Amino acid sequence: MKKHICKTVSLAFCTALLFSFGGLFAAAQDALPESEHDYADNLEQRWDYTYPGEAKGLFVTFSEDTWVEEYHGWIRIDDIVENGVVTVGGMGKNILPPSFKTGDVIVIRGEGDKYVGSYRGGELAGQTVFIPGRSFSVTLITDGSITGYGFKVTAVEPCPDDYIREITFVPGGDEAAFTETFTADSTVCFDDWYFNREGFAFVGWSDAEGGAIRFDLDGEAPAADVPDTLYGVWVPLALGSEEVFSFHNSSWYFDVDGQDHYYMTAEDYHAMQANLFKNFGLGPYPTPVVSIVLATYPDWEFAGSCYGMSVVTALQHYGYLDVLSLQGAACMNDMEPDEELISLINYYQTQTATSFPAENKALVKGSANMRQQFRDLYRTVSQGNIVMLTYFAEGIERLNQAHVILLTGCYITAKGDMAFIVYDCNSSDYEYGWYDETFFVPAGSSTAVYDGDNIDAFFWTDDFSRFTSFDIGGKTTPLAWYVSYLRHVIETLVSFFRMLSNIGK
């Protein structure tokens, strides 16, 4: 009998113990995320939480005490660390060994590890954060010194369904559609998404497939005003990302022999002079004057070769020049700035003097002609042509301040601006498929903006055939320049009559 009672008591005890552990497990699973107080140095710890009920989004509230170290940067020898607070002085002095602090950070992610935000200092103290979905994680990352309270989640509440906006984004191309969740009173920032596709630039979102841009990438809008579905807008590019140089328009690359000048081989220098006389002779073009000026070209202080880089890039694209064979390269990205290539680029830099007469011109800021030139630019780029544009941001009288870019695609923004995708040899963005260099013509404006500068005047051309008259390899076609010039004269007359018909518009 005693044995039976002992077994019964033991069974009851084990059952109670199991229920007790089950309760502990449940409590641990349902516990709200919370760090140690104070947290430790050199820590990377993650807390995961799933709301037990149904929810399309959660409101997560943090305690008023929530705090992590916010300073990150170099610490000088005379910086003061006292009572857990770093007072950072100027950064003018080095110490041995130097001390670099990364600081501490709280990182919040939603379902599928989707990034929500990173927070330092007291940014989360007493704050409520909206997190899409019904689960989230909090990760605390700390450096090797200075700790504090850390964080504590004090409440997790489901967001009411009628306060939720779910927006489906359909980027197009090879990109899969996805749905984002917002609160009705939140703001949708459209620069949160960017996509790459060879031969195209992603430029904004439309409310209809194949439609016009409604939201620009740098724009934002109240979630309540955004349609349920948005479609990506792509612009075709005339120049691929692999068709541009991987080096830049800088003396770092062009200073071949340490002389900081326009380096040219003897062969290229003689070709420059010979082609000048071969094409123009003693005709109306001031060949002797230009020849005398260019005779000293190799001795000029290097001030950039953006014209030469742009011309060579376009000539390679259109097959007028075989640059790749110089180094047996597969694409322009693979080209190295050796002496032969730098000389070739500088050779075509001199062709500024020969090309200028046959280029379209907008010389008066705000004039009817400048407005018409913008329309002509948009027409030819939208037809798939590359345009080489030389612009002046400080008046045309300052010729040494001119810069040359290639326009490779265009579109109309949500605001009605003309926008042109730019390959700028001063930047590496285009090479990596980041088409964020943009030449803007604001709607209703008679001027343009690029790289923060207002454009005072510009020249442009979409006809690169004329450069075959000055082929560096000697296979010149002298008539090409004259045919190109005649075409330019005709196009100028056509543009003039278009301008007259557009006056007042």
Side-chain angles (χ1 to χ4, degrees):
M1 183 69 177
K2 288 183 179 179
K3 191 174 183 181
H4 177 69
I5 292 174
C6 289
K7 287 182 178 179
T8 303
V9 170
S10 298
L11 182 62
F13 176 75
C14 291
T15 303
L17 197 60
L18 286 173
F19 275 113
S20 174
F21 280 131
L24 285 174
F25 291 148
Q29 195 173 31
D30 294 340
L32 299 179
E34 178 179 0
S35 70
E36 290 186 3
H37 314 298
D38 290 350
Y39 58 84
D41 287 327
N42 300 312
L43 178 72
E44 182 169 345
Q45 186 172 355
R46 170 172 168 151
W47 292 260
D48 291 292
Y49 179 84
T50 299
Y51 183 71
E54 293 299 321
K56 292 183 178 180
L58 301 173
F59 288 122
V60 179
T61 302
F62 289 80
S63 71
E64 293 284 354
D65 298 322
T66 295
W67 183 91
V68 295
E69 181 198 11
E70 61 183 324
Y71 178 74
H72 59 285
W74 288 101
I75 301 297
R76 271 180 26 168
I77 197 168
D78 57 349
D79 288 328
I80 301 171
V81 181
E82 185 176 355
N83 297 325
V85 177
V86 179
T87 302
V88 181
M91 292 296 148
K93 210 183 274 186
N94 290 325
I95 62 174
L96 296 174
S99 176
F100 183 83
K101 287 185 63 60
T102 59
D104 305 333
V105 63
I106 298 170
V107 181
I108 301 177
R109 297 183 181 276
E111 285 186 344
D113 274 349
K114 181 174 175 56
Y115 176 79
V116 174
S118 298
Y119 308 87
R120 296 177 182 270
E123 289 178 331
L124 278 176
Q127 298 299 307
T128 297
V129 178
F130 173 73
I131 302 177
R134 58 186 290 263
S135 64
F136 66 92
S137 69
V138 182
T139 302
L140 176 59
I141 304 171
T142 72
D143 65 7
S145 63
I146 304 177
T147 62
Y149 181 85
F151 76 90
K152 178 180 181 180
V153 174
T154 58
V156 177
E157 300 291 338
C159 179
D161 286 354
D162 59 1
Y163 196 55
I164 289 286
R165 283 283 291 113
E166 290 185 317
I167 301 171
T168 299
F169 296 83
V170 186
D174 296 329
E175 304 289 343
F178 58 94
T179 299
E180 296 284 344
T181 304
F182 306 87
T183 58
D185 61 352
S186 64
T187 298
V188 180
C189 298
F190 295 99
D191 61 357
D192 286 346
W193 307 280
Y194 191 81
F195 308 97
N196 287 102
R197 178 183 172 192
E198 187 58 42
F200 293 84
F202 182 75
V203 295
W205 297 96
S206 175
D207 53 11
E209 190 170 4
I213 295 176
R214 179 166 175 180
F215 300 106
D216 297 315
L217 294 185
D218 61 352
E220 58 182 37
D225 295 341
V226 179
D228 292 340
T229 305
L230 290 178
Y231 300 88
V233 179
W234 299 83
V235 169
L237 299 174
L239 189 68
S241 59
E242 79 287 351
E243 293 186 89
V244 302
F245 289 115
S246 60
F247 58 91
H248 309 143
N249 174 43
S250 163
S251 57
W252 176 267
Y253 299 102
F254 282 79
D255 189 2
V256 172
D257 52 13
Q259 300 301 310
D260 193 28
H261 64 150
Y262 284 91
Y263 173 82
M264 289 184 74
T265 64
E267 294 79 8
D268 292 347
Y269 176 80
H270 292 311
M272 173 189 69
Q273 294 284 8
N275 284 336
L276 188 60
F277 281 94
K278 184 185 298 184
N279 285 277
F280 296 124
L282 298 177
Y285 186 83
T287 307
V289 175
V290 175
S291 177
I292 291 171
V293 172
L294 292 180
T296 61
Y297 175 69
D299 297 322
W300 295 2
E301 182 179 348
F302 183 78
S305 200
C306 54
Y307 190 92
M309 291 187 74
S310 299
V311 170
V312 170
T313 299
L315 293 182
Q316 171 66 33
H317 172 82
Y318 285 115
Y320 293 126
L321 192 63
D322 183 7
V323 184
L324 303 184
S325 64
L326 296 180
Q327 299 176 10
C331 65
M332 291 286 272
N333 282 172
D334 294 338
M335 298 295 293
E336 298 290 339
D338 61 12
E339 293 185 10
E340 188 176 16
L341 180 56
I342 294 303
S343 178
L344 180 144
I345 291 172
N346 286 338
Y347 168 89
Y348 281 100
Q349 176 74 13
T350 68
Q351 302 309 315
T352 306
T354 63
S355 181
F356 164 75
E359 293 185 8
N360 305 292
K361 303 168 186 66
L363 306 180
V364 181
K365 186 177 181 178
S367 65
N369 174 58
M370 182 170 280
R371 288 194 295 273
Q372 184 56 47
Q373 292 299 324
F374 288 139
R375 297 187 190 100
D376 291 344
L377 272 178
Y378 193 87
R379 180 183 302 106
T380 187
V381 175
S382 66
Q383 292 171 350
N385 298 313
I386 296 174
V387 162
M388 183 170 65
L389 184 140
T390 303
Y391 72 87
F392 303 82
E394 297 185 31
I396 194 170
E397 67 277 1
R398 302 188 64 178
L399 291 176
N400 62 334
Q401 296 299 315
H403 184 51
V404 182
I405 55 180
L406 295 180
L407 309 183
T408 66
C410 61
Y411 59 98
I412 301 297
T413 71
K415 301 172 185 176
D417 306 336
M418 292 183 192
F420 298 86
I421 305 295
V422 171
Y423 163 56
D424 189 334
C425 58
N426 284 349
S427 168
S428 60
D429 286 357
Y430 203 100
E431 171 198 354
Y432 294 108
W434 303 331
Y435 307 115
D436 49 4
E437 302 279 349
T438 312
F439 184 88
F440 277 104
V441 182
S445 175
S446 54
T447 186
V449 178
Y450 177 66
D451 197 25
D453 292 323
N454 291 314
I455 308 305
D456 291 339
F458 61 91
F459 312 147
W460 68 274
T461 184
D462 60 358
D463 181 6
F464 296 91
S465 64
R466 75 174 69 97
F467 291 98
T468 60
S469 288
F470 305 92
D471 181 79
I472 193 171
K475 299 178 181 178
T476 59
T477 52
L479 285 178
W481 187 93
Y482 294 94
V483 171
S484 178
Y485 181 76
L486 179 61
R487 185 184 300 121
H488 163 67
V489 171
I490 295 172
E491 289 175 350
T492 300
L493 290 173
V494 172
S495 181
F496 174 75
F497 287 113
R498 284 180 183 149
M499 178 190 71
L500 293 180
S501 66
N502 282 311
I503 288 179
K505 294 183 180 179

